Amino acid sequence: MADIPLPPGLSAARLDEARMALETALGPGKVFFEPLDRTSYQDKFAVDDAAHHPAGAVAPDSVEEIRAVVRIANEYRLPLFPIARGKNLGYGGSAPVLAGSMVLDLSRMKRIEFDEKLGTVLLEPGVGFYDLYDYLQRNNLPYWLSTPGNSWGSVMGNALDRGVGYTPYGQHTENICGMEVVLANGEVVRTGMGAFEGAPTWQAYKYGFGPAWDQMFVQSNFGIVTKMGMWLMPEPESLMGMDVEFDRPEDLKVMVDTIAPLRRERLLTQSPSIGNWMRAAAVLTTRDQWTDEPGALSDSVIDAIRRQFNIGWWGVSLRLYGREDVNRAAYKVLEDAMGKAGPMSIRPTQWKRGEPLEYTGWTGTPMTFPMQNVNWYGGRGGHIGFSPIIEQDGDKALAQFRRTYARYQEYGMDYQGSFAFGERHLVNVNAMIFNKDDPAMMAKVDPFFRSLVADAKEQGYGEYRTHLDYMDLVAGTYDFAGGSINRMNEAVKDALDPNGIIAPGKSGIWGSAYRQERQA
């Protein structure tokens, strides 16, 4: 086992003893220590291929098996890194923060329980968006999913990392209702009404009695979530909307200032996302079809791409869901507002129940085609995301874009950016696409990312999620009162997980046993 990365403080002999204990408890078919196994769980989009290598993996298929794994992990001080399906691409995939950790692969746990009357689902970590979609279709259930751009992943895993979709239920974390969690001591807890034995309201009421813990297990390492309740959107009677293109980079200001009030008053209940021309072009084409010039694309090449696909510098898709009469009235307001904003084009769209459905994120259907953007540069493509939270203000959004765009040009990278609306905030999602077979390009990614973090910090903007490489960096930017939030997080961590075995370093939270591993 000399080639196996070891967690701090654990010898190769002791790790081999832990492996044998896991095989005895679960059977050898659920324990993976071969070189190919370790390679399979590495981050496919890693900026540094030498980082975050696991020692191995274990794949239980029940809560009792998870409890057995946790017991062994405590006995041998073997850190575990739980994953649902390992498809959190751009943020670390299936790899652990701490090298030498054992990946706890929960993808075999795929049970689904659905309440048709309430539109709630109780699911396990291995249930992917395609799985849940197929379940709804197979059982003729009149509900729609909200899916992210990469729908290979876990419904639960996406919600636990605050992933978003495109429908009125697109803020996935907000639609969590009740969890089952295995704690580091092996105890099983249920949150909300699940703490009340036999309560039929576990997926109907989020809070229960006393502190509400669901959000404490989001983006944290306080426990292993084994079941999660979610609310789904009833199939609407109609869908109406428009795809709107704007011609100039500076049009971002009027777009934000036009859409934001409609979102706040809930005329728009979806989560629209303003994206630049490359969001479409990088899926439909590759860079070498347009130019071989080094550095960031010139305006002339950008103009040629836009002419080819008849797209604006920015575009946004706006959708209205629900009763047809209500949508028609709301559409008139939307049409008038967007028309006054001076768009390059407006393309209306509509659908009524019973008509064939267009398979897009706007209709809650799983998709994977947006991931084709990683082929933009050729080679082994990948990306990481830089996504600060900013105000819903056109001037602030335009200033944020200009700062970020200047950095893309400085580092010679092609800009793919978007501004996604919550009710009161914008998420400025910037995809840093790269070719892992281009050493010169890969050498720029780390300093590029760090410069973006520093620029945002100066404006008071922090990221809402990030790649494994930068969890300590981003956690450190949350520095009110000298970082009191992280001290509180780590106090909770030490109380619930005194040996620090569950996902050390996740979201910058380190248990006392591994705190020395925190990045400088």
Side-chain angles (χ1 to χ4, degrees):
M1 299 180 67
D3 61 332
I4 297 180
L6 298 173
L10 198 65
S11 67
R14 191 68 170 157
L15 178 61
D16 196 42
E17 291 177 18
R19 175 188 61 79
M20 289 187 288
L22 289 166
E23 289 180 348
T24 299
L26 275 68
K30 296 179 181 179
V31 181
F32 309 101
F33 267 85
E34 296 301 319
L36 180 59
D37 299 327
R38 293 191 292 278
T39 300
S40 298
Y41 284 99
Q42 290 174 16
D43 178 12
K44 305 305 182 292
F45 289 177
V47 178
D48 179 3
D49 280 329
H52 309 296
H53 289 197
V58 59
D61 60 17
S62 70
V63 169
E64 286 308 309
E65 289 187 344
I66 291 174
R67 297 179 71 191
V69 172
V70 166
R71 177 184 57 77
I72 293 166
N74 275 296
E75 179 182 350
Y76 289 91
R77 302 297 192 266
L78 174 62
L80 303 171
F81 193 79
I83 63 169
R85 289 176 58 84
K87 301 298 185 183
N88 199 16
L89 300 177
Y91 296 100
S94 54
V97 176
L98 180 64
S101 297
M102 170 78 70
V103 174
L104 181 62
D105 183 347
L106 306 179
S107 62
R108 294 182 175 186
M109 300 177 67
K110 300 174 73 73
R111 295 173 185 84
I112 299 172
E113 299 177 33
F114 198 90
D115 186 318
E116 182 175 358
K117 183 175 181 180
L118 296 181
T120 64
V121 64
L122 182 65
L123 41 78
E124 292 186 331
V127 177
F129 287 94
Y130 282 99
D131 297 323
L132 186 52
Y133 179 81
D134 289 344
Y135 180 93
L136 296 177
Q137 297 300 306
R138 187 167 58 249
N139 292 284
N140 197 30
L141 296 167
Y143 290 91
W144 281 11
L145 300 184
S146 171
T147 62
N150 169 26
S151 301
W152 288 331
S154 160
V155 180
M156 177 190 293
N158 182 268
L160 285 176
D161 207 33
R162 299 198 179 101
V164 297
Y166 306 92
T167 74
Y169 282 55
Q171 301 294 323
H172 296 162
T173 305
E174 295 179 7
N175 292 303
I176 295 172
C177 188
M179 295 180 183
E180 179 184 87
V181 183
V182 176
L183 300 180
N185 64 1
E187 190 167 17
V188 181
V189 299
R190 290 186 171 182
T191 65
M193 297 306 298
F196 189 104
E197 187 71 42
T201 51
W202 188 16
Q203 274 68 69
Y205 180 66
K206 296 184 179 184
Y207 307 111
F209 180 73
W213 277 88
D214 280 0
Q215 290 300 313
M216 291 293 287
F217 292 108
V218 171
Q219 282 193 0
S220 80
N221 52 10
F222 300 151
I224 300 163
V225 183
T226 55
K227 288 184 175 64
M228 176 185 289
M230 295 284 291
W231 292 350
L232 300 189
M233 183 177 76
E235 181 185 51
E237 180 180 280
S238 76
L239 182 152
M240 298 183 68
M242 57 181 66
D243 299 319
V244 192
E245 304 286 338
F246 283 77
D247 190 45
R248 306 172 304 160
E250 55 266 34
D251 289 333
L252 178 64
K253 169 181 164 53
V254 71
M255 295 175 78
V256 170
D257 287 340
T258 300
I259 296 169
L262 303 176
R263 183 69 180 93
R264 289 195 291 270
E265 71 177 75
R266 298 183 180 177
L267 182 135
L268 282 171
T269 57
Q270 54 146 173
S271 301
S273 176
I274 299 170
N276 82 311
W277 59 270
M278 190 168 159
R279 186 165 66 174
V283 171
L284 299 169
T285 185
T286 54
R287 194 182 198 274
D288 60 5
Q289 294 176 248
W290 301 99
T291 183
D292 58 2
E293 65 183 23
L297 287 177
S298 65
D299 287 342
S300 61
V301 175
I302 292 172
D303 289 343
I305 294 172
R306 288 183 52 207
R307 284 195 301 272
Q308 173 68 29
F309 296 111
N310 191 29
I311 54 178
W313 217 100
W314 300 104
V316 65
S317 294
L318 306 171
R319 297 292 186 270
L320 302 163
Y321 299 78
R323 302 295 177 95
E324 185 174 6
D325 289 346
V326 176
N327 280 348
R328 289 192 182 281
Y331 185 86
K332 292 178 181 178
V333 178
L334 183 62
E335 184 178 46
D336 180 64
M338 296 309 296
K340 289 178 180 177
M344 178 179 127
S345 66
I346 295 179
R347 295 190 299 274
T349 183
Q350 62 179 342
W351 169 88
K352 289 192 292 188
R353 188 183 298 156
E355 295 178 349
L357 196 63
E358 182 182 2
Y359 293 97
T360 69
W362 311 114
T363 60
T365 47
M367 55 185 177
T368 56
F369 69 86
M371 290 300 296
Q372 291 181 189
N373 68 349
V374 299
N375 295 321
W376 176 247
Y377 286 108
R380 288 181 300 146
H383 73 77
I384 59 173
F386 171 72
S387 308
I389 304 294
I390 73 170
E391 308 104 310
Q392 272 188 6
D393 177 279
D395 287 319
K396 298 291 181 66
L398 185 57
Q400 173 66 12
F401 157 69
R402 285 174 169 163
R403 280 189 298 271
T404 304
Y405 193 57
R407 289 294 191 186
Y408 271 80
Q409 292 180 312
E410 175 188 347
Y411 284 92
M413 307 288 277
D414 296 336
Y415 175 77
Q416 179 175 327
S418 62
F419 292 79
F421 286 80
E423 280 198 33
R424 297 294 189 279
H425 70 276
L426 293 170
V427 184
N428 175 214
V429 181
N430 302 282
M432 301 166 64
I433 300 172
F434 46 74
N435 172 8
K436 288 172 62 66
D437 294 321
D438 184 338
M441 177 180 289
M442 296 308 298
K444 295 186 293 187
V445 173
D446 182 76
F448 179 27
F449 186 93
R450 292 177 184 274
S451 71
L452 292 176
V453 172
D455 291 345
K457 182 69 172 69
E458 288 184 5
Q459 308 303 315
Y461 300 150
E463 277 205 283
Y464 85 106
R465 68 198 287 203
T466 196
H467 186 272
L468 301 176
D469 285 342
Y470 303 107
M471 287 183 170
D472 286 337
L473 174 69
V474 169
T477 64
Y478 286 76
D479 56 358
F480 172 77
S484 58
I485 188 68
N486 199 56
R487 290 195 296 274
M488 183 183 76
N489 287 338
E490 293 190 341
V492 174
K493 177 66 171 173
D494 287 342
L496 293 178
D497 184 6
N499 293 323
I501 61 164
I502 300 178
K506 170 72 174 174
S507 298
I509 303 169
W510 294 88
S512 58
Y514 298 104
R515 209 155 284 160
Q516 72 279 4
E517 300 297 323
R518 190 192 310 277
Q519 295 177 8

